[in-house]
Amino acid sequence: MTALAWRAEANTALLRVIGRRILAAIPTLVLATFVVFSLLHLIPGDPAQAIAGEHATPERLAEIRSQLGLDQPFAMQYLDWLRHAITGDLGTSLSTGEAVGTLIWQRLPTTLTLGAAALLLAVGIGVPLGIASATRHRKPADTAITGVATLGIAVPNFWIGMVLVLVFAIHLQWFPATGFVGLSENPLQTLQHVVLPAIALGLVGAAEVCRQLRSALIEVLRSDFMRTHRAKGLSHRTMVWRHALKNAGLPLATIIGLLVSRVLGASVVVETLFAIPGLGTLVVEATTQRDYPVIQGVVLVTALLVLLTNLAVDLSYRFIDPRISE
Amino acid sequence: MKLMAVVWVLLLALTACSSGAAESGQHLRVAWRSNPSSLDPQRGNSGSDHAILYSIYDTLVSFDPKTLEPAPGLAESWNQDDPNALVLHLRPDVRFHDGTPVDAEAVKYNIERAKGRQSNIKSDVASVTGVDVLDARTVRLNLVRPDSSLLLTLADRAGMLVSPTAAEREGDAFERNPVGAGPWKFVEWRYGQRVRVERFPGYWQRGLPHLDSIDFTITTDGSTAVNALRSGQQDMVFNPPPQDVGLLGAAKGTKVTSSPQLYQLIIYLDLSAPVFRDERVREALNLAVNREQIRKVTQFGQGEVGWTPLPSEHWAFAEDRVPTYRHDPARARQLLAEAGHADGLRFPLLTYPDPVNVRLAEVLKHQLGKVGIHIDLIPNELTQASSEFFNKRKYPALLSAWTGRPDPGLTYKLMFTERGYYNAGHVATPGMDDALRAANSTPDLVRRSEHFGTAAQIVADHSLFVPLIFPPAVAAHRENVHGFEANLLGKPKFTSVRIER
């Protein structure tokens, strides 16, 4: 078999894997949206009441319910939503009448920017610290780093956020305490606004990356082939960066994948704390208003993001370790 | 490690050209607590919409900010000679933002729209049977019965005139493209993010407003709003968390104004619940509560203790006739014993899970516990708690607030008459209807005030609710913000605000 043919075959194999994974994701998406839809109907409170206000007459409530299709049976409401969602129509907000797709589209870039910055920070801090810690196994530096990382995992991100605001926004006035400016409006201001929330969101991730990488690296550094490398006379630096890190790549990719969903979840808290108009604040606002279509839309998009991340992580395994294939 | 150094240098460089980028001119940045429920005054339902609505819409009738007595608005005068009608005389040459004249036809359109299908304020204008245009500047509202509370109701949502041209053209989309006759015109509403308004050059009050534009940035978390104010990103914040008020007053660069308001923290009682059918139990509750301690502990000594539905600054607060419950645990215990609860009494109290309410609920639990009234706190989120108490009537008591209405007639009607929505048990109290009918049959404020005094006495004699405390309305702002005039309604207006740089 020529090299070219082999590569073509590998590519189709890859495509087949991607295709299969995407198909497998569909039931997950349906299940996720169904669970959220059911939960929404389980929590007390009524969008009609939220729209009509406190002393609405029962007639007015009934009228609003029928306008919004809330008088339909539960399963019908869900199927109706699903039918439209498949065609890309996420419906309109119950409280403002705006298209849910538009609302999400306005907010998504903000959350993605913030999430990306947080991930960058988690990896940028976590990886060097993890290496430093593993290569100084059982030395004071290792103990110190591990200690700080454990603390980092234990401290809730909203608390970190509050301390950051107090020190860097109020006392030093280096960074803004709240709000967000889009990349397309003014990238410099985006950077200023993103620093504190990204730290609040990413620091826990950095601690986790550090700890996972440390234990993976220690494992690798102890293995026989590393001893061979050392005997061969490779420099410490080459050993760690070229050989050990590559072998610790799988757990690293896994933890980064997990961090994506963690960061998306935590953005609800951090965006509220910093008054950032992203998906997190949108879903909080929508929940208090019982704005079902908006909540459903955000859940769908978030679930989609997580599934895509998982797919990317799975595929990255094949590149990190070519021995892994179907 | 080199990389980290580079990152730090970049960060420091960033901070050099950083925050509080001062905006020039008369632009006010307000951190506002919640996204408006609607910008159509007749369709929204949240009391926190008013500050934004008042900037876009002027009302037919206005009010004295200190006492809430009616004052001229878009109507420069009125006539109530016929008790079954209210005749309004409109100002000349006033126009909506789109150029439509504010005339008698516009008023007729608005009142009819408020009685229409999409309206959430039908009950506000329930007493109006029809509207007659007498001439371009004179309009008569015909009433089904004498209703002097209607005048101040026209200082609320029902009096916020919308442009008939725009309302007809936009239909359902009007709430996203609102047009009024207020000091500022609508520019933009980014759902859940901000509302922006800019000066209306044709505003009828010459020389007003001072501000060129206002941004209401939606900031749902109180502490976050305080942070934004302290870091200079916002110019004004309303009702920050009580524990931050002292800090903001003392801090450099920020100032705090406290003023009385109608908003009162109270316990709503379901008078039909078995435990509260006996008046003696309700009175015992009122005597067991130590209001002064509540003021000190939960409000840091700010605000005014509550005896009636109205605060002492209000025009209808009849000083000499206002009953007061002294703190008297011994008498409370005695009343409970007489009512057959010598061994104590237990009931669930619904409350909200936010820090202010939880602290208040805990103080109450302690105070009531001392006389043998044991409460089980049931924390529930606002919409849910209201629905469970007022609609489903699952619990006998709710710790919440009365946000006030421009006319006291509405307050008493909604809270204490048999059909009032906030009278959860829908129990009638003898004398109440007569007192309110009398108060609503005369436009004379002195006589109305006397009748409301009678109503206040009936409420107290039967312990229809447990008044607790009027927290102060707090406006915290940057020190270059001047001229803000708080009002007793607790719903800020910005017409007199200016920025001095």
Side-chain angles (χ1 to χ4, degrees):
Chain A
M1 201 189 294
T2 65
L4 207 65
W6 183 82
R7 174 164 292 176
E9 193 164 300
N11 276 345
T12 32
L14 188 64
L15 283 178
R16 214 175 304 134
V17 173
I18 296 178
R20 207 162 358 174
R21 294 297 304 267
I22 290 177
L23 280 181
I26 291 175
T28 317
L29 281 179
V30 172
L31 194 70
T33 54
F34 181 74
V35 167
V36 172
F37 200 76
S38 318
L39 282 178
L40 283 178
H41 284 76
L42 279 180
I43 53 170
D46 175 358
Q49 190 85 47
I51 292 168
E54 24 198 28
H55 42 284
T57 59
E59 296 82 52
R60 174 89 182 119
L61 287 178
E63 191 185 325
I64 293 176
R65 279 197 197 101
S66 89
Q67 270 173 18
L68 301 175
L70 296 170
D71 51 352
Q72 300 288 314
F74 167 74
M76 283 297 292
Q77 289 186 43
Y78 178 72
L79 288 177
D80 203 43
W81 177 84
L82 193 62
R83 203 159 43 86
H84 284 100
I86 289 169
T87 65
D89 172 15
L90 292 178
T92 53
S93 157
L94 297 186
S95 47
T96 68
E98 257 189 304
V100 173
T102 318
L103 281 175
I104 292 177
W105 197 241
Q106 286 168 355
R107 305 293 194 105
L108 188 61
T110 305
T111 299
L112 288 185
T113 312
L114 179 60
L119 277 183
L120 217 66
L121 214 80
V123 175
I125 296 175
V127 169
L129 284 185
I131 294 175
S133 184
T135 52
R136 289 166 185 75
H137 188 35
R138 299 257 165 91
K139 294 205 177 106
D142 176 31
T143 317
I145 294 174
T146 314
V148 171
T150 310
L151 203 70
I153 292 174
V155 173
N157 43 30
F158 69 86
W159 187 82
I160 297 179
M162 275 155 46
V163 172
L164 289 173
V165 166
L166 203 63
V167 176
F168 294 103
I170 292 174
H171 286 296
L172 297 175
Q173 306 230 334
W174 287 359
F175 299 103
T178 56
F180 192 78
V181 176
L183 270 172
S184 56
E185 286 175 58
N186 185 337
L188 188 69
Q189 281 192 21
T190 309
L191 214 53
Q192 286 175 357
H193 280 87
V194 95
V195 170
L196 296 185
I199 295 177
L201 207 50
L203 224 47
V204 179
E208 269 176 56
V209 168
C210 168
R211 298 211 30 154
Q212 294 289 338
L213 186 62
R214 173 182 173 273
S215 51
L217 269 180
I218 288 173
E219 192 81 12
V220 177
L221 287 171
R222 274 200 198 124
S223 61
D224 292 344
F225 77 92
M226 289 309 284
R227 200 176 47 199
T228 314
H229 280 320
R230 202 173 298 131
K232 225 167 59 177
L234 278 188
S235 74
H236 182 73
R237 174 180 285 244
T238 321
M239 270 174 54
V240 171
W241 285 92
R242 186 161 312 152
H243 299 285
L245 206 55
K246 214 180 249 179
N247 278 283
L250 285 185
L252 187 62
T254 311
I255 188 81
I256 291 173
L258 287 175
L259 274 184
V260 171
S261 51
R262 198 81 58 77
V263 161
L264 281 173
S267 68
V268 170
V269 174
V270 171
E271 284 180 9
T272 306
L273 184 67
F274 287 91
I276 293 172
L279 286 185
T281 39
L282 179 66
V283 82
V284 170
E285 184 88 28
T287 309
T288 50
Q289 286 282 321
R290 300 290 186 271
D291 200 336
Y292 298 162
V294 175
I295 303 173
Q296 283 289 96
V298 176
V299 168
L300 181 69
V301 169
T302 314
L304 211 59
L305 284 176
V306 171
L307 286 172
L308 284 177
T309 313
N310 286 348
L311 181 62
V313 169
D314 279 6
L315 293 177
S316 78
Y317 287 167
R318 303 162 64 95
F319 290 102
I320 295 168
D321 188 345
R323 286 170 301 184
I324 297 177
S325 60
E326 276 312 287
Chain B
M1 289 301 123
K2 262 182 214 156
L3 183 75
M4 288 302 286
V6 174
V7 169
W8 275 115
V9 170
L10 277 177
L11 282 183
L12 287 176
L14 252 185
T15 62
C17 42
S18 174
S19 67
E23 300 211 24
S24 57
Q26 295 289 321
H27 175 66
L28 186 74
R29 300 163 301 171
V30 179
W32 197 246
R33 195 61 78 89
S34 55
N35 193 40
S37 61
S38 170
L39 289 182
D40 181 338
Q42 303 189 348
R43 292 188 72 170
N45 60 52
S46 166
S48 60
D49 296 348
H50 282 66
I52 300 175
L53 294 175
Y54 279 138
S55 68
I56 301 173
Y57 302 98
D58 250 20
T59 47
L60 273 171
V61 176
S62 189
F63 51 75
D64 180 297
K66 293 248 169 352
T67 63
L68 283 188
E69 282 168 68
L74 289 172
E76 59 184 0
S77 63
W78 46 82
N79 174 334
Q80 291 164 290
D81 292 345
D82 174 359
N84 286 309
L86 171 63
V87 178
L88 299 169
H89 304 283
L90 302 175
R91 284 178 199 282
D93 306 322
V94 179
R95 288 181 182 273
F96 291 102
H97 303 155
D98 61 357
T100 309
V102 178
D103 56 12
E105 287 294 345
V107 175
K108 181 178 162 75
Y109 177 87
N110 269 272
I111 300 290
E112 281 167 1
R113 188 170 182 266
K115 292 179 79 69
R117 224 173 62 85
Q118 299 281 7
S119 165
N120 268 344
I121 52 164
K122 283 178 205 165
S123 60
D124 287 13
V125 287
S127 63
V128 182
T129 53
V131 184
D132 295 329
V133 173
L134 302 183
D135 63 48
R137 283 177 49 203
T138 317
V139 62
R140 183 175 63 211
L141 313 186
N142 301 311
L143 309 179
V144 64
R145 59 178 173 271
D147 181 9
S148 43
S149 74
L150 182 63
L151 194 61
L152 273 167
T153 304
L154 296 179
D156 199 2
R157 286 178 178 275
M160 295 181 184
L161 296 189
V162 308
S163 159
T165 323
E168 280 303 298
R169 187 184 60 232
E170 301 285 347
D172 277 353
F174 179 78
E175 62 178 346
R176 301 204 60 80
N177 304 286
V179 179
W184 291 275
K185 46 183 187 178
F186 171 78
V187 177
E188 179 189 44
W189 177 16
R190 289 202 208 170
Y191 179 81
Q193 299 182 38
R194 74 158 185 240
V195 177
R196 174 172 285 177
V197 296
E198 67 177 25
R199 178 207 294 276
F200 171 45
Y203 188 54
W204 62 271
Q205 292 198 59
R206 295 292 154 226
L208 290 175
H210 302 297
L211 297 169
D212 292 326
S213 52
I214 309 176
D215 267 359
F216 297 91
T217 303
I218 313 306
T219 313
T220 46
D221 185 74
S223 308
T224 303
V226 168
N227 289 340
L229 179 71
R230 292 182 66 197
S231 70
Q233 280 183 280
Q234 297 290 341
D235 299 316
M236 217 164 178
V237 169
F238 292 92
N239 301 319
Q243 67 270 20
D244 287 335
V245 173
L247 178 88
L248 287 170
K252 224 178 85 202
T254 52
K255 277 188 171 167
V256 166
T257 346
S258 292
S259 53
Q261 61 172 338
L262 289 187
Y263 180 96
Q264 182 181 200
L265 292 164
I266 65 170
I267 303 176
Y268 288 93
L269 303 176
D270 183 338
L271 303 185
S272 70
V275 54
F276 293 133
R277 271 187 208 144
D278 193 325
E279 265 179 41
R280 289 171 294 191
V281 174
R282 302 187 320 237
E283 192 184 345
L285 270 183
N286 268 312
L287 294 174
V289 170
N290 183 345
R291 293 172 173 77
E292 194 49 44
Q293 189 179 54
I294 288 176
R295 196 175 78 95
K296 285 200 183 109
V297 175
T298 68
Q299 298 295 326
F300 300 87
Q302 302 269 317
E304 175 184 325
V305 296
W307 309 113
T308 82
L310 301 174
S312 61
E313 300 278 323
H314 196 279
W315 63 264
F317 183 87
E319 184 87 59
D320 48 329
R321 305 189 53 189
V322 165
T324 51
Y325 304 99
R326 65 202 181 287
H327 173 53
D328 191 345
R331 173 82 184 130
R333 218 178 270 115
Q334 188 189 343
L335 281 167
L336 284 176
E338 284 170 20
H341 300 291
D343 303 332
L345 170 72
R346 188 170 211 104
F347 68 87
L349 175 69
L350 264 175
T351 180
Y352 307 135
D354 66 279
V356 176
N357 265 287
V358 168
R359 191 176 303 137
L360 175 58
E362 282 164 356
V363 174
L364 282 170
K365 189 180 169 76
H366 170 77
Q367 293 181 348
L368 297 177
K370 280 190 176 168
V371 303
I373 302 176
H374 304 285
I375 51 177
D376 299 311
L377 298 178
I378 316 282
N380 243 329
E381 171 259 342
L382 191 133
T383 342
Q384 182 188 347
S386 307
S387 160
E388 297 206 329
F389 182 74
F390 294 111
N391 299 340
K392 302 189 183 132
R393 293 162 64 182
K394 273 168 69 178
Y395 296 97
L398 166 70
L399 173 62
S400 177
W402 175 249
T403 56
R405 290 292 182 279
D407 192 274
L410 286 173
T411 291
Y412 282 101
K413 177 179 148 197
L414 288 166
M415 288 175 81
F416 305 116
T417 59
E418 189 177 354
R419 294 185 56 197
Y421 179 84
Y422 295 93
N423 177 359
H426 300 289
V427 172
T429 307
M432 180 60 73
D433 289 348
D434 293 333
L436 295 187
R437 201 174 301 117
N440 279 344
S441 318
T442 166
D444 179 58
L445 289 188
V446 177
R447 284 169 58 202
R448 290 194 79 202
S449 168
E450 261 169 45
H451 295 302
F452 285 128
T454 310
Q457 227 160 22
I458 294 170
V459 171
D461 287 349
H462 299 273
S463 295
L464 299 183
F465 77 137
V466 185
L468 296 172
I469 184 164
F470 294 93
V474 177
H477 50 84
R478 304 293 306 171
E479 58 188 358
N480 59 3
V481 175
H482 292 269
F484 175 69
E485 194 175 11
N487 61 55
L488 194 56
L489 195 58
K491 294 168 178 172
K493 295 182 176 185
F494 298 94
T495 321
S496 59
V497 176
R498 64 186 189 282
I499 293 173
E500 284 173 11
R501 300 210 186 259

